[in-house]
Amino acid sequence: MSVNLTVGEKEFFPGIGRISFEGPDSANPLAFKHYDENRVIAGKSMKDHFRFAIAYWHSFCGNGSDPFGPGTVDFPWEVPGDPIQTAKGKLDAAFEFITKLGVGFYCFHDRDLAPEGKTVAESEKNLKELAALAKQKQEASGVRLLWGTANVFSHRRYTNGAATNPDFNVLPHVAAQVKAAIDATIALGGDNYVFWGGREGYYSLLNTNTKREIDHLGAFLQKARDYGRKAGFKGTFLIEPKPMEPTKHQYDFDSATVIGFLHKYGLEKDFKINIENNHATLASHTFAHEVQIACDAGLFGSLDVNQGDPHNGWDTDEFLTNLYDATHLMLVLLQNGGIGRGGMNFDAKRRRSSTDAEDLFIAHISSMDTLARGLIIANEILEKSDYLKMKESRYASFDTGDGAKFESGKMGLEELAALAGKLGEPKQISGKQELYEMIVNQYIR
Ligand code: XUL
Ligand code: CO
Protein backbone atom coordinates (compact mmCIF):
# COMPACT_ATOMS: atom_id res chain seq x y z
CA MET A 1 0.00 0.00 0.00
CA SER A 2 2.88 2.37 0.63
CA VAL A 3 3.43 5.02 -2.02
CA ASN A 4 6.77 6.74 -2.27
CA LEU A 5 7.22 10.33 -3.33
CA THR A 6 9.83 10.72 -6.03
CA VAL A 7 11.80 13.93 -6.44
CA GLY A 8 11.26 15.70 -9.75
CA GLU A 9 7.94 14.12 -10.66
CA LYS A 10 5.12 16.43 -11.60
CA GLU A 11 2.63 14.28 -9.75
CA PHE A 12 3.57 14.42 -6.08
CA PHE A 13 1.21 11.70 -4.87
CA PRO A 14 1.50 9.14 -7.67
CA GLY A 15 -0.55 5.99 -7.47
CA ILE A 16 -3.32 7.72 -5.56
CA GLY A 17 -6.40 8.88 -7.46
CA ARG A 18 -9.54 10.68 -6.41
CA ILE A 19 -10.64 9.23 -3.06
CA SER A 20 -14.14 7.83 -3.39
CA PHE A 21 -16.88 6.61 -1.07
CA GLU A 22 -16.96 2.81 -0.86
CA GLY A 23 -19.22 2.32 2.17
CA PRO A 24 -18.75 0.92 5.68
CA ASP A 25 -17.68 -2.56 4.56
CA SER A 26 -14.80 -1.41 2.40
CA ALA A 27 -11.35 -2.54 3.52
CA ASN A 28 -9.61 -0.01 1.27
CA PRO A 29 -7.67 2.47 3.46
CA LEU A 30 -7.79 4.98 0.59
CA ALA A 31 -11.58 5.15 0.44
CA PHE A 32 -14.28 6.81 2.53
CA LYS A 33 -16.38 4.40 4.59
CA HIS A 34 -18.86 6.96 5.97
CA TYR A 35 -18.15 10.35 4.36
CA ASP A 36 -20.39 10.39 1.30
CA GLU A 37 -20.22 14.02 0.20
CA ASN A 38 -23.62 14.16 -1.50
CA ARG A 39 -25.55 12.20 1.12
CA VAL A 40 -28.19 14.45 2.64
CA ILE A 41 -28.58 14.46 6.42
CA ALA A 42 -30.99 16.80 8.16
CA GLY A 43 -31.66 18.64 4.90
CA LYS A 44 -28.03 19.31 3.95
CA SER A 45 -25.32 17.41 2.09
CA MET A 46 -22.41 16.08 4.11
CA LYS A 47 -20.13 18.36 2.11
CA ASP A 48 -22.08 21.41 3.33
CA HIS A 49 -22.33 20.17 6.91
CA PHE A 50 -18.55 20.06 7.22
CA ARG A 51 -16.95 22.40 4.67
CA PHE A 52 -13.69 20.52 5.26
CA ALA A 53 -10.45 22.45 4.87
CA ILE A 54 -6.80 21.38 4.66
CA ALA A 55 -4.25 23.13 6.88
CA TYR A 56 -1.32 24.15 4.70
CA TRP A 57 1.13 24.36 7.61
CA HIS A 58 0.80 20.80 8.85
CA SER A 59 0.15 18.97 5.62
CA PHE A 60 2.70 20.67 3.36
CA CYS A 61 5.17 22.32 5.78
CA GLY A 62 5.37 19.97 8.78
CA ASN A 63 8.05 17.40 8.05
CA GLY A 64 7.84 15.55 11.37
CA SER A 65 10.62 17.37 13.18
CA ASP A 66 10.27 17.64 16.95
CA PRO A 67 12.46 19.09 19.73
CA PHE A 68 14.42 15.83 19.79
CA GLY A 69 15.15 15.31 16.14
CA PRO A 70 14.86 16.59 12.57
CA GLY A 71 12.16 15.82 10.04
CA THR A 72 11.27 12.29 9.02
CA VAL A 73 9.62 12.96 5.66
CA ASP A 74 11.16 14.55 2.58
CA PHE A 75 9.03 16.88 0.53
CA PRO A 76 9.73 16.21 -3.14
CA TRP A 77 8.76 19.76 -4.04
CA GLU A 78 11.67 21.19 -2.07
CA VAL A 79 14.33 22.90 -4.19
CA PRO A 80 17.33 23.50 -1.90
CA GLY A 81 18.40 27.14 -1.80
CA ASP A 82 15.38 28.36 -3.77
CA PRO A 83 12.48 29.15 -1.42
CA ILE A 84 10.28 30.62 -4.16
CA GLN A 85 10.56 27.53 -6.38
CA THR A 86 9.91 25.41 -3.30
CA ALA A 87 6.78 27.46 -2.52
CA LYS A 88 5.55 27.00 -6.10
CA GLY A 89 6.07 23.25 -5.99
CA LYS A 90 4.40 23.12 -2.59
CA LEU A 91 1.38 24.90 -4.08
CA ASP A 92 1.17 22.29 -6.86
CA ALA A 93 1.41 19.50 -4.29
CA ALA A 94 -1.20 21.13 -2.05
CA PHE A 95 -3.79 21.44 -4.80
CA GLU A 96 -3.04 17.93 -6.03
CA PHE A 97 -3.65 16.60 -2.52
CA ILE A 98 -6.76 18.71 -1.84
CA THR A 99 -8.44 17.78 -5.13
CA LYS A 100 -7.56 14.10 -4.83
CA LEU A 101 -9.10 14.06 -1.36
CA GLY A 102 -12.14 15.95 -2.68
CA VAL A 103 -12.08 18.66 -0.05
CA GLY A 104 -13.53 22.08 -0.84
CA PHE A 105 -11.34 24.44 1.20
CA TYR A 106 -7.86 25.18 2.53
CA CYS A 107 -6.29 27.52 5.12
CA PHE A 108 -2.83 29.10 5.30
CA HIS A 109 -0.49 31.39 7.20
CA ASP A 110 1.30 33.96 5.06
CA ARG A 111 4.61 32.18 5.65
CA ASP A 112 3.22 28.75 4.70
CA LEU A 113 2.28 30.03 1.26
CA ALA A 114 5.31 32.23 0.58
CA PRO A 115 8.72 32.57 2.23
CA GLU A 116 9.70 35.58 4.32
CA GLY A 117 11.98 37.88 2.32
CA LYS A 118 14.99 39.89 3.46
CA THR A 119 12.84 43.02 3.80
CA VAL A 120 9.18 43.76 4.54
CA ALA A 121 8.69 44.74 0.89
CA GLU A 122 10.24 41.50 -0.37
CA SER A 123 8.01 39.43 1.95
CA GLU A 124 4.95 41.23 0.61
CA LYS A 125 6.08 40.70 -2.99
CA ASN A 126 6.56 36.98 -2.33
CA LEU A 127 3.10 36.65 -0.82
CA LYS A 128 1.46 38.53 -3.69
CA GLU A 129 3.21 36.34 -6.24
CA LEU A 130 2.18 33.08 -4.58
CA ALA A 131 -1.36 34.34 -3.89
CA ALA A 132 -1.75 35.11 -7.61
CA LEU A 133 -0.70 31.55 -8.43
CA ALA A 134 -3.02 30.18 -5.74
CA LYS A 135 -5.86 32.12 -7.34
CA GLN A 136 -5.26 30.36 -10.66
CA LYS A 137 -5.24 27.01 -8.86
CA GLN A 138 -8.50 27.87 -7.09
CA GLU A 139 -10.16 28.85 -10.34
CA ALA A 140 -9.01 25.70 -12.11
CA SER A 141 -10.08 23.35 -9.29
CA GLY A 142 -13.05 25.04 -7.60
CA VAL A 143 -11.23 24.73 -4.25
CA ARG A 144 -11.80 27.80 -2.06
CA LEU A 145 -10.03 29.57 0.78
CA LEU A 146 -11.71 29.06 4.16
CA TRP A 147 -9.33 31.47 5.88
CA GLY A 148 -5.99 33.13 5.76
CA THR A 149 -3.89 34.31 8.68
CA ALA A 150 -0.51 35.84 9.51
CA ASN A 151 2.19 33.94 11.34
CA VAL A 152 3.13 36.55 13.94
CA PHE A 153 4.54 34.05 16.42
CA SER A 154 7.50 32.20 14.82
CA HIS A 155 9.95 35.03 14.08
CA ARG A 156 12.23 35.98 16.97
CA ARG A 157 11.01 39.60 16.85
CA TYR A 158 7.70 38.28 18.31
CA THR A 159 9.36 36.57 21.28
CA ASN A 160 7.73 38.96 23.77
CA GLY A 161 4.45 39.24 21.88
CA ALA A 162 3.04 40.52 18.60
CA ALA A 163 0.30 43.16 19.11
CA THR A 164 0.85 42.82 22.87
CA ASN A 165 4.62 43.30 22.72
CA PRO A 166 5.83 45.78 25.38
CA ASP A 167 8.06 47.30 22.66
CA PHE A 168 6.06 49.47 20.24
CA ASN A 169 8.70 48.94 17.53
CA VAL A 170 7.43 45.40 17.02
CA LEU A 171 3.85 46.48 16.28
CA PRO A 172 4.51 47.94 12.81
CA HIS A 173 5.85 44.54 11.73
CA VAL A 174 2.70 42.86 13.01
CA ALA A 175 0.65 45.41 11.08
CA ALA A 176 2.65 44.87 7.89
CA GLN A 177 2.13 41.12 8.03
CA VAL A 178 -1.54 41.30 9.00
CA LYS A 179 -2.29 43.89 6.31
CA ALA A 180 -0.59 41.79 3.61
CA ALA A 181 -2.33 38.62 4.83
CA ILE A 182 -5.74 40.35 4.80
CA ASP A 183 -4.99 41.59 1.26
CA ALA A 184 -4.12 38.03 0.18
CA THR A 185 -7.27 36.68 1.85
CA ILE A 186 -9.41 39.23 0.01
CA ALA A 187 -7.65 38.49 -3.31
CA LEU A 188 -8.39 34.79 -2.83
CA GLY A 189 -12.03 35.28 -1.81
CA GLY A 190 -11.50 33.89 1.71
CA ASP A 191 -14.65 33.44 3.77
CA ASN A 192 -12.84 34.25 7.02
CA TYR A 193 -9.65 35.76 8.41
CA VAL A 194 -8.12 34.26 11.59
CA PHE A 195 -6.16 35.71 14.50
CA TRP A 196 -4.48 33.15 16.69
CA GLY A 197 -2.51 34.89 19.44
CA GLY A 198 0.27 32.42 20.10
CA ARG A 199 2.54 35.04 21.62
CA GLU A 200 -0.26 37.29 22.87
CA GLY A 201 0.12 36.49 26.53
CA TYR A 202 2.86 36.38 29.12
CA TYR A 203 5.41 34.15 30.76
CA SER A 204 5.77 36.11 34.02
CA LEU A 205 3.35 38.55 35.61
CA LEU A 206 6.34 40.14 37.38
CA ASN A 207 7.44 41.91 34.18
CA THR A 208 4.01 42.32 32.53
CA ASN A 209 1.38 45.05 32.46
CA THR A 210 -1.58 42.94 31.44
CA LYS A 211 -4.00 45.88 31.15
CA ARG A 212 -1.84 47.76 28.67
CA GLU A 213 -1.12 44.63 26.66
CA ILE A 214 -4.79 43.58 26.37
CA ASP A 215 -5.77 47.17 25.51
CA HIS A 216 -3.16 47.15 22.76
CA LEU A 217 -4.59 43.90 21.39
CA GLY A 218 -8.10 45.37 21.38
CA ALA A 219 -6.92 48.54 19.63
CA PHE A 220 -4.88 46.57 17.09
CA LEU A 221 -7.83 44.34 16.17
CA GLN A 222 -10.10 47.38 15.77
CA LYS A 223 -7.63 48.86 13.30
CA ALA A 224 -7.20 45.55 11.47
CA ARG A 225 -10.99 45.27 11.19
CA ASP A 226 -11.28 48.83 9.92
CA TYR A 227 -8.59 48.22 7.32
CA GLY A 228 -10.15 44.93 6.20
CA ARG A 229 -13.59 46.47 5.76
CA LYS A 230 -12.16 49.46 3.89
CA ALA A 231 -10.25 47.11 1.61
CA GLY A 232 -13.45 45.19 0.82
CA PHE A 233 -13.27 42.14 3.10
CA LYS A 234 -16.84 40.90 3.50
CA GLY A 235 -16.05 37.76 5.48
CA THR A 236 -15.81 37.10 9.19
CA PHE A 237 -12.81 37.86 11.37
CA LEU A 238 -12.13 35.02 13.77
CA ILE A 239 -10.23 34.77 17.04
CA GLU A 240 -8.91 31.31 17.87
CA PRO A 241 -8.74 30.83 21.64
CA LYS A 242 -5.98 28.86 23.33
CA PRO A 243 -5.16 29.03 27.03
CA MET A 244 -1.39 28.45 26.88
CA GLU A 245 1.48 27.26 24.70
CA PRO A 246 3.64 28.88 23.60
CA THR A 247 3.10 31.51 26.31
CA LYS A 248 2.40 30.45 29.88
CA HIS A 249 -0.86 32.37 29.86
CA GLN A 250 -2.57 33.42 26.63
CA TYR A 251 -5.06 36.29 26.67
CA ASP A 252 -7.54 34.49 24.36
CA PHE A 253 -7.92 31.72 26.93
CA ASP A 254 -11.22 30.14 25.85
CA SER A 255 -14.60 30.94 24.24
CA ALA A 256 -15.95 32.69 27.34
CA THR A 257 -12.87 34.90 27.66
CA VAL A 258 -12.97 35.84 23.98
CA ILE A 259 -16.70 36.65 24.15
CA GLY A 260 -16.02 39.14 26.96
CA PHE A 261 -13.03 40.58 25.09
CA LEU A 262 -14.97 41.06 21.83
CA HIS A 263 -17.76 42.91 23.63
CA LYS A 264 -15.37 45.05 25.65
CA TYR A 265 -13.57 46.30 22.54
CA GLY A 266 -16.65 46.62 20.30
CA LEU A 267 -15.57 43.82 17.97
CA GLU A 268 -18.57 41.51 18.35
CA LYS A 269 -20.24 42.51 15.08
CA ASP A 270 -17.26 41.67 12.89
CA PHE A 271 -15.55 38.89 14.82
CA LYS A 272 -16.53 35.37 15.75
CA ILE A 273 -14.66 32.46 17.33
CA ASN A 274 -12.62 29.68 15.71
CA ILE A 275 -12.61 26.75 18.12
CA GLU A 276 -9.99 23.99 18.22
CA ASN A 277 -10.50 20.75 20.13
CA ASN A 278 -6.97 20.47 21.49
CA HIS A 279 -7.11 24.11 22.64
CA ALA A 280 -10.42 23.38 24.39
CA THR A 281 -8.95 20.44 26.26
CA LEU A 282 -5.88 22.49 27.27
CA ALA A 283 -8.38 24.91 28.85
CA SER A 284 -10.00 21.97 30.72
CA HIS A 285 -13.08 22.12 28.51
CA THR A 286 -14.49 19.80 25.88
CA PHE A 287 -14.75 20.71 22.20
CA ALA A 288 -18.55 20.58 22.48
CA HIS A 289 -18.52 22.92 25.51
CA GLU A 290 -16.48 25.55 23.70
CA VAL A 291 -18.75 25.38 20.64
CA GLN A 292 -21.90 25.55 22.75
CA ILE A 293 -20.69 28.62 24.68
CA ALA A 294 -19.78 30.40 21.42
CA CYS A 295 -23.15 29.49 19.85
CA ASP A 296 -25.02 30.75 22.92
CA ALA A 297 -23.34 34.13 22.46
CA GLY A 298 -24.09 34.18 18.71
CA LEU A 299 -20.33 34.17 18.13
CA PHE A 300 -19.62 30.70 16.79
CA GLY A 301 -17.46 31.06 13.69
CA SER A 302 -15.48 28.01 12.60
CA LEU A 303 -13.57 24.93 13.76
CA ASP A 304 -10.02 23.64 13.86
CA VAL A 305 -10.60 19.93 14.07
CA ASN A 306 -8.07 17.76 15.89
CA GLN A 307 -7.61 16.05 19.24
CA GLY A 308 -5.06 15.98 22.03
CA ASP A 309 -3.52 13.09 23.89
CA PRO A 310 -5.49 12.47 27.09
CA HIS A 311 -2.30 11.67 29.00
CA ASN A 312 -0.20 14.73 28.42
CA GLY A 313 -0.79 18.42 28.66
CA TRP A 314 0.23 20.03 25.42
CA ASP A 315 -1.02 20.58 21.91
CA THR A 316 -0.33 17.31 20.10
CA ASP A 317 -2.58 18.18 17.13
CA GLU A 318 -3.61 14.61 16.40
CA PHE A 319 -6.23 13.81 13.79
CA LEU A 320 -9.65 13.53 15.39
CA THR A 321 -10.65 9.88 15.58
CA ASN A 322 -12.58 9.98 18.83
CA LEU A 323 -16.14 9.09 17.92
CA TYR A 324 -17.55 10.41 21.19
CA ASP A 325 -15.99 13.84 20.60
CA ALA A 326 -17.36 13.83 17.05
CA THR A 327 -20.84 12.82 18.20
CA HIS A 328 -20.98 15.40 21.00
CA LEU A 329 -19.71 18.08 18.63
CA MET A 330 -22.29 17.26 15.96
CA LEU A 331 -25.08 17.15 18.57
CA VAL A 332 -24.25 20.75 19.47
CA LEU A 333 -23.84 21.91 15.86
CA LEU A 334 -27.10 20.29 14.68
CA GLN A 335 -29.00 21.98 17.50
CA ASN A 336 -27.45 25.37 16.80
CA GLY A 337 -27.72 25.96 13.08
CA GLY A 338 -24.56 24.24 11.87
CA ILE A 339 -21.21 25.37 10.51
CA GLY A 340 -22.47 28.46 8.62
CA ARG A 341 -19.70 30.37 6.83
CA GLY A 342 -17.13 28.50 8.89
CA GLY A 343 -15.69 25.10 8.15
CA MET A 344 -13.73 22.24 9.63
CA ASN A 345 -10.04 22.84 9.18
CA PHE A 346 -7.78 19.87 9.91
CA ASP A 347 -5.30 21.60 12.21
CA ALA A 348 -3.70 18.21 12.72
CA LYS A 349 -0.49 16.45 11.83
CA ARG A 350 0.23 12.83 11.15
CA ARG A 351 2.57 11.31 13.70
CA ARG A 352 6.32 11.68 13.23
CA SER A 353 6.57 7.96 12.55
CA SER A 354 3.89 8.01 9.81
CA THR A 355 6.32 8.48 6.97
CA ASP A 356 4.53 7.16 3.88
CA ALA A 357 2.95 9.70 1.54
CA GLU A 358 -0.32 7.78 1.74
CA ASP A 359 -0.40 8.36 5.51
CA LEU A 360 -1.38 11.97 4.85
CA PHE A 361 -4.42 10.73 2.93
CA ILE A 362 -5.28 8.03 5.47
CA ALA A 363 -5.14 10.54 8.34
CA HIS A 364 -7.60 12.89 6.66
CA ILE A 365 -9.89 10.11 5.40
CA SER A 366 -10.09 8.60 8.88
CA SER A 367 -10.98 11.92 10.48
CA MET A 368 -13.54 12.78 7.80
CA ASP A 369 -15.15 9.38 8.32
CA THR A 370 -15.17 9.90 12.10
CA LEU A 371 -16.98 13.22 11.71
CA ALA A 372 -19.40 11.75 9.17
CA ARG A 373 -20.25 9.00 11.65
CA GLY A 374 -20.65 11.61 14.37
CA LEU A 375 -23.10 13.48 12.14
CA ILE A 376 -25.13 10.36 11.32
CA ILE A 377 -25.26 9.30 14.99
CA ALA A 378 -26.11 12.76 16.31
CA ASN A 379 -28.86 13.17 13.74
CA GLU A 380 -30.37 9.80 14.70
CA ILE A 381 -30.28 10.73 18.39
CA LEU A 382 -32.10 13.98 17.64
CA GLU A 383 -34.62 12.43 15.26
CA LYS A 384 -35.34 9.04 16.82
CA SER A 385 -34.74 9.23 20.55
CA ASP A 386 -36.38 11.16 23.37
CA TYR A 387 -33.17 13.15 23.86
CA LEU A 388 -34.51 16.56 22.83
CA LYS A 389 -37.80 16.09 24.66
CA MET A 390 -35.96 15.03 27.82
CA LYS A 391 -33.63 18.04 27.68
CA GLU A 392 -36.47 20.50 27.06
CA SER A 393 -38.63 19.05 29.80
CA ARG A 394 -35.93 19.79 32.39
CA TYR A 395 -36.73 23.49 31.87
CA ALA A 396 -40.51 23.14 31.55
CA SER A 397 -41.12 24.98 34.83
CA PHE A 398 -39.83 28.15 33.12
CA ASP A 399 -42.31 27.81 30.24
CA THR A 400 -45.44 29.00 32.07
CA GLY A 401 -46.57 30.78 35.22
CA ASP A 402 -44.04 32.20 37.67
CA GLY A 403 -41.08 30.57 35.89
CA ALA A 404 -41.96 32.32 32.63
CA LYS A 405 -42.49 35.57 34.54
CA PHE A 406 -38.97 35.30 36.05
CA GLU A 407 -37.40 34.36 32.71
CA SER A 408 -38.89 37.41 31.02
CA GLY A 409 -37.38 39.63 33.73
CA LYS A 410 -40.68 40.61 35.25
CA MET A 411 -40.16 39.15 38.73
CA GLY A 412 -38.09 40.96 41.35
CA LEU A 413 -36.02 39.37 44.08
CA GLU A 414 -38.65 40.03 46.81
CA GLU A 415 -41.44 38.39 44.83
CA LEU A 416 -39.13 35.50 43.98
CA ALA A 417 -38.07 35.09 47.62
CA ALA A 418 -41.68 35.14 48.83
CA LEU A 419 -42.40 32.09 46.65
CA ALA A 420 -40.00 29.99 48.72
CA GLY A 421 -42.40 29.83 51.67
CA LYS A 422 -45.43 29.40 49.45
CA LEU A 423 -44.05 26.58 47.27
CA GLY A 424 -42.23 24.75 50.04
CA GLU A 425 -39.36 22.33 49.47
CA PRO A 426 -39.01 21.47 45.74
CA LYS A 427 -39.46 17.88 44.72
CA GLN A 428 -36.15 16.11 44.03
CA ILE A 429 -35.76 15.75 40.23
CA SER A 430 -33.18 13.41 38.73
CA GLY A 431 -30.76 14.82 36.13
CA LYS A 432 -30.69 11.34 34.49
CA GLN A 433 -27.13 11.77 33.21
CA GLU A 434 -26.59 8.03 32.85
CA LEU A 435 -29.75 7.75 30.78
CA TYR A 436 -28.50 10.48 28.40
CA GLU A 437 -25.18 8.65 28.13
CA MET A 438 -27.02 5.40 27.48
CA ILE A 439 -28.97 6.98 24.64
CA VAL A 440 -25.82 8.33 23.01
CA ASN A 441 -24.15 4.92 23.19
CA GLN A 442 -27.25 3.19 21.87
CA TYR A 443 -26.93 5.11 18.59
CA ILE A 444 -23.17 4.60 18.21
CA ARG A 445 -23.41 1.48 16.09
C1 XUL B 1 -1.69 26.69 17.04
C2 XUL B 1 -2.81 26.82 16.09
C3 XUL B 1 -2.55 27.62 14.87
C4 XUL B 1 -3.74 28.40 14.40
C5 XUL B 1 -3.46 29.34 13.26
O1 XUL B 1 -1.98 25.95 18.17
O2 XUL B 1 -3.85 26.25 16.30
O3 XUL B 1 -2.09 26.78 13.89
O4 XUL B 1 -4.77 27.56 14.01
O5 XUL B 1 -2.45 30.23 13.53
CO1 CO C 1 -5.59 26.01 15.17
Side-chain angles (χ1 to χ4, degrees):
M1 258 305 149
S2 107
V3 176
N4 291 317
L5 300 178
T6 322
V7 183
E9 276 195 20
K10 196 119 184 61
E11 196 180 13
F12 293 107
F13 301 97
I16 300 178
R18 173 73 160 85
I19 306 298
S20 58
F21 171 73
E22 291 186 4
D25 296 329
S26 168
N28 177 4
L30 292 172
F32 296 116
K33 324 289 180 301
H34 303 276
Y35 178 67
D36 181 3
E37 60 181 9
N38 296 319
R39 177 169 169 194
V40 174
I41 306 266
K44 224 163 53 174
S45 70
M46 280 198 175
K47 195 166 193 141
D48 290 342
H49 271 287
F50 297 118
R51 289 164 55 92
F52 285 127
I54 303 304
Y56 219 87
W57 52 102
H58 284 307
S59 293
F60 315 113
C61 307
N63 63 3
S65 66
D66 72 9
F68 306 95
T72 53
V73 289
D74 295 325
F75 290 139
W77 51 85
E78 249 158 38
V79 183
D82 192 341
I84 288 285
Q85 268 320 108
T86 296
K88 288 179 181 170
K90 193 194 325 184
L91 185 71
D92 288 342
F95 274 78
E96 183 190 327
F97 176 79
I98 297 166
T99 47
K100 282 183 169 175
L101 192 62
V103 161
F105 295 88
Y106 70 112
C107 302
F108 63 77
H109 299 86
D110 50 356
R111 302 301 189 236
D112 309 331
L113 199 64
E116 174 148 13
K118 287 195 186 64
T119 61
V120 171
E122 195 183 313
S123 298
E124 287 178 12
K125 186 177 145 280
N126 290 350
L127 184 60
K128 270 207 180 109
E129 185 180 347
L130 266 298
L133 293 174
K135 191 167 183 180
Q136 291 172 13
K137 293 269 180 197
Q138 287 186 201
E139 278 159 10
S141 63
V143 171
R144 294 180 52 217
L145 178 65
L146 183 65
W147 49 262
T149 187
N151 178 337
V152 287
F153 45 87
S154 293
H155 195 283
R156 61 192 285 172
R157 73 173 76 92
Y158 303 123
T159 303
N160 293 299
T164 62
N165 200 300
D167 177 13
F168 171 74
N169 295 297
V170 173
L171 269 67
H173 286 274
V174 187
Q177 266 191 258
V178 167
K179 179 181 168 298
I182 290 176
D183 288 343
T185 301
I186 295 171
L188 293 171
D191 277 347
N192 304 275
Y193 181 87
V194 162
F195 292 90
W196 170 63
R199 303 278 175 195
E200 311 294 30
Y202 64 81
Y203 295 96
S204 171
L205 199 50
L206 292 172
N207 66 4
T208 304
N209 184 328
T210 50
K211 174 152 182 16
R212 288 186 85 172
E213 291 199 1
I214 296 172
D215 279 349
H216 294 165
L217 183 60
F220 181 84
L221 293 179
Q222 288 166 356
K223 299 305 175 198
R225 181 235 3 236
D226 295 347
Y227 171 76
R229 293 303 182 219
K230 194 177 69 183
F233 179 58
K234 303 249 173 352
T236 310
F237 292 100
L238 300 171
I239 290 186
E240 183 176 323
K242 189 176 182 183
M244 66 193 86
E245 200 208 10
T247 61
K248 161 77 184 137
H249 177 100
Q250 265 158 236
Y251 294 132
D252 303 325
F253 194 94
D254 61 0
S255 285
T257 311
V258 171
I259 290 164
F261 172 86
L262 292 178
H263 282 281
K264 178 168 182 200
Y265 293 95
L267 298 165
E268 76 281 3
K269 290 195 175 59
D270 299 277
F271 281 73
K272 287 187 161 73
I273 305 176
N274 184 42
I275 297 163
E276 178 167 326
N277 193 17
N278 207 163
H279 297 183
T281 50
L282 280 177
S284 296
H285 299 309
T286 62
F287 203 9
H289 166 93
E290 285 293 85
V291 175
Q292 183 68 65
I293 295 299
C295 287
D296 292 347
L299 291 173
F300 170 71
S302 198
L303 295 173
D304 271 14
V305 172
N306 62 12
Q307 69 187 25
D309 184 302
H311 303 118
N312 63 25
W314 65 91
D315 199 9
T316 54
D317 283 346
E318 296 167 28
F319 277 86
L320 185 125
T321 54
N322 183 316
L323 195 48
Y324 280 94
D325 279 2
T327 303
H328 283 262
L329 170 72
M330 295 316 300
L331 267 175
V332 173
L333 279 184
L334 284 175
Q335 289 175 81
N336 290 276
I339 201 75
R341 277 192 80 163
M344 296 201 189
N345 169 46
F346 289 107
D347 196 350
K349 56 184 177 222
R350 56 191 156 140
R351 298 303 88 190
R352 186 169 191 268
S353 50
S354 300
T355 49
D356 289 341
E358 69 167 16
D359 294 334
L360 190 61
F361 281 88
I362 291 171
H364 284 86
I365 292 167
S366 170
S367 210
M368 290 162 80
D369 272 340
T370 302
L371 285 152
R373 280 183 80 185
L375 170 64
I376 295 164
I377 293 162
N379 185 55
E380 284 207 353
I381 292 169
L382 294 175
E383 282 189 348
K384 296 186 183 160
S385 78
D386 284 340
Y387 169 80
L388 271 180
K389 244 193 296 172
M390 284 163 53
K391 189 170 150 187
E392 274 163 23
S393 76
R394 289 192 81 203
Y395 300 87
S397 59
F398 287 93
D399 291 343
T400 55
D402 289 331
K405 193 173 172 190
F406 168 80
E407 204 175 68
S408 63
K410 294 192 185 111
M411 185 181 284
L413 191 68
E414 287 157 302
E415 197 185 342
L416 186 58
L419 284 176
K422 203 173 117 196
L423 295 175
E425 191 56 31
K427 197 171 121 241
Q428 188 66 49
I429 299 174
S430 171
K432 312 288 288 177
Q433 182 176 327
E434 296 79 4
L435 177 56
Y436 285 85
E437 290 163 351
M438 179 187 276
I439 291 172
V440 170
N441 273 12
Q442 194 184 337
Y443 285 89
I444 296 184
R445 54 188 170 200

